[in-house]
């Protein structure tokens, strides 16, 4: 989505070697328990992160393709970095993030509610996750994905993290489409917030195996709160962030559950104590969280998709929810003006008049397409 992606500075240690601040397993009372732990630890060490770097490569490749299709010099004489040829960027006033035009993004699969509802293009809920509005947008999201995603993939494997990333991204797209219906939206921020949400739920569901629990929890909550707080600035799609975070938080209880081995911090063990019980098993609260989260996910996605494809505007049912995405102040307004132009086509001549600033333009283009008219109108009104 369109907002800045989060960075994670939380380092949570699962096992330590030496020192009193590490987490250490108890001595196993039987060979079977020891072998079970050994197999689990060995399996986690084998996981090498390849899917997250692949996601980064795909996002970069898609951006290159979008810029190739955009071909700014063909449609404008005010492109930025013209030495790049058809890969040059749209004028700064039109796209300050150094990227393509909004019409190109729409044609390539951006989230646009009217196309989803009236043209039944539900695939846009997925494709918008892989599109970015510009170089700055792409860099922010991909750096965050590397910092957060690689750590999680190394710990839980590519299948769980891959599914979590995509499903959280879909959850963010769905909530964004329900509340923001006048603009297009692109970006991986919803999926990234989903990874943050999963980190939080993983910490909760595997609570007993972590050292410095409270510090880790407070640090993670603070990071999430700061990033969600940034989302209330103008031109940020905080609904995508919120939807991705909630989806990831619930998915974490489903995908990232693991058995507890009775880990303790050595400094809390009384001298001379003989600790012999360490049979790995899931806790009852883990099963409860798993079941509740799964039910909420199924109900939430089902209800959300039904509302979306029926053309429901969620703002009509929540008069204050728009403040979750933008809070107006004396320094900025949350009311974005739409871009509208009056157009007339006479043979090979297209006449456009921007309704917001009154500027007019004459273009010698025969049978201009709707996407071409939108692009010219955007430039004329900027």
């Amino acid at each position: 989505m369109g907002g800045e992606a989060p960075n994670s500075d939380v380092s949570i240690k699962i096992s330590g070697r030496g020192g009193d601040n590490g987490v250490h397993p108890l001595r196993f009372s039987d060979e079977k328990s020891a072998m079970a732990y050994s197999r689990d630890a060995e399996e986690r060490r084998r996981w090498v992160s390849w899917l997250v770097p692949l996601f980064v490569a795909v996002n970069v490749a898609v951006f290159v393709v979008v810029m190739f299709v955009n071909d700014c010099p063909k449609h404008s004489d005010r492109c930025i970095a013209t030495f790049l040829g058809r890969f040059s960027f749209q004028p700064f006033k039109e796209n300050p993030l150094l990227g393509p035009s909004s019409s190109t993004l729409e044609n390539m699969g951006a989230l646009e509610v009217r196309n989803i509802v009236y043209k039944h293009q539900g695939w846009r809920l997925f494709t918008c996750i892989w599109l970015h509005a510009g170089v700055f947008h792409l860099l922010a999201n991909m750096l965050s994905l590397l910092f957060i995603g690689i750590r999680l993939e190394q710990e839980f494997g590519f299948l769980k993290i891959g599914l979590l990333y995509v499903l959280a991204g879909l959850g963010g797209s769905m909530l964004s489409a329900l509340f923001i219906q006048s603009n297009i939206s692109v970006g991986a921020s919803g999926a990234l917030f989903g990874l943050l949400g999963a980190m939080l739920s993983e910490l909760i569901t595997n609570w007993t195996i972590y050292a410095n629990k409270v510090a880790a929890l407070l640090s993670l909550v603070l990071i999430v709160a700061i990033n969600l707080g940034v989302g209330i600035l103008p031109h940020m799609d905080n609904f995508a962030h919120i939807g991705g975070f909630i989806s990831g938080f619930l998915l974490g209880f489903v995908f990232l559950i693991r058995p507890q081995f009775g880990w303790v911090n050595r400094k809390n063990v009384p001298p001379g104590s003989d600790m012999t019980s360490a049979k790995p098993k899931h806790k009852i609260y883990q099963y409860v969280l798993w079941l509740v989260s799964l039910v909420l996910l199924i109900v939430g996605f089902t209800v959300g998709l039904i509302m979306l494809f029926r053309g429901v505007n969620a703002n009509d049912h929540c008069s204050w929810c728009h403040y979750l995405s933008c809070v107006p102040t004396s320094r900025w307004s949350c009311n974005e003006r739409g871009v509208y132009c009056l157009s007339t086509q006479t043979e090979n001549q297209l006449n456009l008049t921007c309704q917001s600033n009154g500027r007019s333009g004459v273009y010698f283009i025969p049978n201009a397409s709707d996407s071409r008219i939108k692009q010219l109108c955007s430039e004329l009104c900027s």
Side-chain angles (χ1 to χ4, degrees):
M1 297 301 124
E4 293 289 336
N7 284 323
S8 175
D9 297 324
V10 178
S11 179
I12 302 174
K13 296 182 179 179
I14 297 178
S15 61
R17 295 183 179 180
D20 289 334
N21 291 328
V23 179
H24 305 270
L26 302 176
R27 180 157 52 90
F28 297 106
S29 59
D30 59 86
E31 184 178 356
K32 183 177 179 181
S33 297
M35 291 179 63
Y37 165 74
S38 178
R39 286 196 303 268
D40 181 80
E42 182 180 357
E43 182 181 5
R44 289 203 301 273
R45 286 196 297 268
R46 286 202 305 265
W47 282 327
V48 177
S49 177
W50 62 268
L51 185 63
V52 168
L54 178 62
F55 280 172
V56 173
V58 169
N59 276 277
V60 173
V62 169
F63 183 75
V64 172
V65 171
V66 170
M67 293 306 302
F68 179 84
V69 173
N70 186 66
D71 193 7
C72 181
K74 183 179 179 181
H75 308 296
S76 175
D77 57 357
R78 296 181 294 168
C79 301
I80 299 175
T82 53
F83 62 89
L84 295 175
R86 67 184 299 155
F87 293 97
S88 57
F89 310 113
Q90 292 298 120
F92 190 76
K93 287 185 177 180
E94 182 181 346
N95 188 343
L97 298 176
L98 297 182
S101 66
S102 57
S103 59
T104 298
L105 289 172
E106 183 179 351
N107 292 335
M108 296 295 289
L111 185 64
E112 210 281 332
V113 177
R114 289 174 299 177
N115 287 327
I116 294 177
V117 176
Y118 301 111
K119 296 183 180 181
H120 307 291
Q121 297 177 352
W123 46 268
R124 289 180 179 270
L125 293 168
F126 173 78
T127 56
C128 70
I129 303 172
W130 310 95
L131 295 171
H132 287 83
V135 174
F136 298 142
H137 189 201
L138 178 69
L139 285 176
N141 278 353
M142 293 305 99
L143 288 175
S144 298
L145 177 57
L146 287 173
F147 287 135
I148 301 172
I150 286 181
R151 183 185 310 163
L152 287 174
E153 186 180 353
Q154 289 173 341
E155 188 66 29
F156 295 98
F158 73 93
L159 181 60
K160 292 180 179 180
I161 300 306
L163 285 173
L164 196 153
Y165 181 88
V166 172
L167 291 176
L170 291 175
S173 299
M174 183 175 63
L175 193 66
S176 174
L178 286 171
F179 282 97
I180 300 180
Q181 304 195 342
S182 59
N183 300 305
I184 66 170
S185 185
V186 294
S189 298
L192 289 169
F193 268 82
L195 295 182
L196 278 177
M199 289 177 66
L200 181 59
S201 58
E202 193 273 331
L203 176 61
I204 295 173
T205 191
N206 301 316
W207 182 257
T208 61
I209 70 174
Y210 285 105
N212 303 321
K213 300 176 177 64
V214 176
L217 179 62
L218 291 178
S219 298
L220 190 52
V221 169
L222 181 62
I223 290 172
V224 173
I226 290 175
N227 282 279
L228 288 176
V230 172
I232 66 175
L233 297 174
H235 311 296
M236 294 286 188
D237 187 358
N238 213 28
F239 285 113
H241 300 167
I242 296 171
F245 177 80
I246 294 175
S247 300
F249 182 72
L250 295 175
L251 287 166
F253 289 122
V254 176
F255 289 152
L256 307 188
I257 184 176
R258 55 187 173 187
Q260 310 295 286
F261 290 95
W263 301 53
V264 297
N265 194 311
R266 282 182 177 175
K267 69 179 182 180
N268 296 326
V269 178
S273 297
D274 183 22
M275 303 165 294
T276 58
S277 175
K279 186 176 182 180
K281 62 179 181 180
H282 290 97
K283 302 293 184 180
I284 294 179
Y285 76 87
Q286 290 181 305
Y287 288 117
V288 173
L289 289 172
W290 181 89
L291 180 60
V292 172
S293 299
L294 184 62
V295 171
L296 290 176
L297 282 167
I298 294 174
V299 173
F301 271 88
T302 301
V303 173
L305 289 173
I306 291 175
M307 291 176 61
L308 177 59
F309 285 106
R310 287 185 176 181
V312 175
N313 187 341
N315 293 288
D316 296 336
H317 304 278
C318 182
S319 59
W320 57 268
C321 284
H322 62 278
Y323 292 115
L324 295 175
S325 186
C326 182
V327 177
T329 69
S330 58
R331 293 181 178 271
W332 64 72
S333 172
C334 295
N335 296 321
E336 298 184 2
R337 293 184 302 172
V339 177
Y340 303 102
C341 290
L342 295 177
S343 64
T344 57
Q345 179 83 51
T346 57
E347 296 183 354
N348 295 333
Q349 180 175 312
L350 173 66
N351 301 298
L352 291 180
T353 301
C354 177
Q355 290 184 308
S356 60
N357 59 22
R359 292 176 58 187
S360 298
V362 179
Y363 308 90
F364 294 96
I365 303 175
N367 300 321
S369 63
D370 290 340
S371 61
R372 183 74 174 108
I373 293 175
K374 287 182 180 180
Q375 180 178 0
L376 293 173
C377 178
S378 179
E379 295 178 2
L380 191 64
C381 293
S382 63

